[in-house]
Amino acid sequence: MDILSIIIKIVLVAFSLFLIAVVLLQSGQSKGISGAIGGGAEAMFGKKKARGMDALLVKLTKLSAVGFMILAVLLVIIQKYWL
């Protein structure tokens, strides 16, 4: 099981680096104080859907975050019960 733990750790590091990169590539949604005011209006009246590359980055962020969480929990379970 030690090799399985090492493989999961390597994949977890790859997921975390990918997640950092995807989050940093996304464009900011608010700009200054006007963005803070507009953000409240978006919550009340609905938000415009992201298009193109932003939509792809949002999907990749969600998938990589879920993968990261699953791998982290799996690693804890393996280390606690099998090692």
Side-chain angles (χ1 to χ4, degrees):
M1 286 296 165
D2 191 35
I3 293 178
L4 182 62
S5 175
I6 292 171
I7 291 171
I8 291 176
K9 286 178 186 178
I10 291 170
V11 174
L12 187 65
V13 169
F15 263 87
S16 64
L17 292 175
F18 182 73
L19 182 61
I20 290 168
V22 171
V23 168
L24 289 176
L25 284 173
Q26 291 182 9
S27 63
Q29 297 296 323
S30 62
K31 298 187 177 22
I33 191 73
S34 64
I37 296 169
E42 283 178 358
M44 186 177 293
F45 299 116
K47 186 176 163 185
K48 188 171 67 171
K49 290 273 187 181
R51 301 241 188 255
M53 185 60 89
D54 284 336
L56 177 65
L57 289 174
V58 168
K59 288 179 185 176
L60 288 175
T61 302
K62 289 177 184 178
L63 288 174
S64 60
V66 168
F68 178 82
M69 288 186 278
I70 289 171
L71 283 172
V73 170
L74 184 64
L75 183 63
V76 168
I77 291 170
I78 286 174
Q79 287 183 344
K80 184 166 180 128
Y81 295 111
W82 279 307
L83 294 179

